[in-house]
């Protein structure tokens, strides 16, 4: 779903129109809510990404990665997995000075433009809409706030069913470490 699709779906569930004036009125606030939902879901499913970086004297600054890094999970150099050491804050040390593929848990790219599509898997996009509707209902008057708990409860229940290892073959591998 694009950001525009998320906003239109949320406005429909809020019984508001989706004409240009209504979209302009709610776009900024609903976009913030959608980005909050993305961040929450990304942490729930341990959203990962793999980037290739070039170490300098075996040191990789995590700012070289394309997204904000929460946790490095795997490093590959010269075609095989290598161990890494945490150095100072924001850097890791690798055994070789060759290019490295770093797999890390990260935040998805924020939604800004109306045509932006969430980097999260498609099966999570409906959750974003539920979260946006719940947060918007919470910000209204007391008569509309009562409906917020239903949407946020649905969101939390569906989020709790998500698994961080869904579809990841590395999560099912048994590895003898001794």
């Amino acid at each position: 779903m694009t950001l525009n699709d998320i906003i239109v779906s949320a406005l429909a569930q809020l019984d508001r129109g989706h004409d240009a004036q209504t979209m302009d009125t709610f776009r900024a606030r609903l976009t913030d809510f959608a980005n909050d939902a993305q961040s929450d879901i990304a942490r729930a499913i341990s959203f990962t990404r793999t980037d290739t970086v070039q170490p300098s004297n075996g040191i990789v600054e995590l700012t070289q990665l394309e997204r904000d890094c929460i946790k490095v999970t795997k490093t590959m150099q010269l075609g095989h997995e290598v161990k890494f050491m945490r150095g100072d804050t924001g850097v890791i040390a690798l055994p070789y000075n060759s290019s490295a593929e770093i797999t890390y848990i990260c935040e998805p790219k924020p939604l800004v433009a109306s045509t932006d599509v969430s980097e999260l898997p498609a099966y999570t996009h409906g959750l974003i809409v539920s979260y946006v509707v719940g947060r918007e209902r919470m910000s209204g008057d007391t008569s509309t706030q009562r409906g917020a708990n239903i949407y946020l409860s649905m969101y939390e229940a569906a989020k709790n069913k998500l698994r961080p290892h869904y579809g990841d073959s590395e999560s099912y591998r048994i590895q003898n470490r001794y």
Side-chain angles (χ1 to χ4, degrees):
M1 294 177 86
T2 64
L3 175 59
N4 202 46
D5 294 338
I6 292 169
I7 292 172
V8 167
S9 296
L11 289 173
Q13 290 184 29
L14 291 164
D15 293 328
R16 297 188 177 125
H18 56 275
D19 56 285
Q21 183 179 2
T22 305
M23 294 285 284
D24 288 341
T25 303
F26 291 100
R27 179 174 305 282
R29 185 170 53 221
L30 298 185
T31 299
D32 289 342
F33 295 156
N35 286 324
D36 289 347
Q38 268 199 139
S39 180
D40 189 40
I41 294 168
R43 289 176 190 265
I45 65 171
S46 296
F47 179 67
T48 59
R49 181 179 167 85
T50 301
D51 289 340
T52 303
V53 296
Q54 182 63 41
S56 174
N57 296 326
I59 303 294
V60 174
E61 292 186 28
L62 297 180
T63 56
Q64 290 177 275
L65 301 172
E66 291 187 31
R67 302 282 182 271
D68 290 337
C69 178
I70 296 171
K71 178 181 180 182
V72 175
T73 58
K74 182 171 79 169
T75 56
M76 300 273 294
Q77 279 187 311
L78 304 174
H80 63 279
E81 187 171 352
V82 295
K83 296 196 181 285
F84 60 92
M85 293 176 41
R86 194 179 94 211
D88 294 334
T89 303
V91 299
I92 59 173
L94 297 173
Y96 309 110
N97 203 28
S98 64
S99 66
E101 290 182 0
I102 298 178
T103 303
Y104 59 104
I105 298 173
C106 63
E107 291 285 326
K109 184 174 83 172
L111 300 172
V112 178
S114 59
T115 57
D116 287 352
V117 178
S118 176
E119 291 180 321
L120 296 175
Y123 63 86
T124 64
H125 293 182
L127 291 175
I128 297 172
V129 175
S130 295
Y131 183 86
V132 168
V133 173
R135 286 282 304 270
E136 177 60 25
R137 285 192 180 270
M138 280 180 18
S139 66
D141 62 357
T142 54
S143 64
T144 60
Q145 287 178 356
R146 281 181 265 143
N149 64 348
I150 295 169
Y151 284 96
L152 292 176
S153 294
M154 289 187 320
Y155 167 78
E156 286 296 329
K159 186 180 82 168
N160 289 337
K161 290 181 181 179
L162 297 175
R163 299 289 175 244
H165 61 273
Y166 181 75
D168 186 11
S169 61
E170 294 290 319
S171 298
Y172 302 104
R173 183 176 67 180
I174 298 174
Q175 183 175 3
N176 185 359
R177 298 186 338 168
Y178 302 101

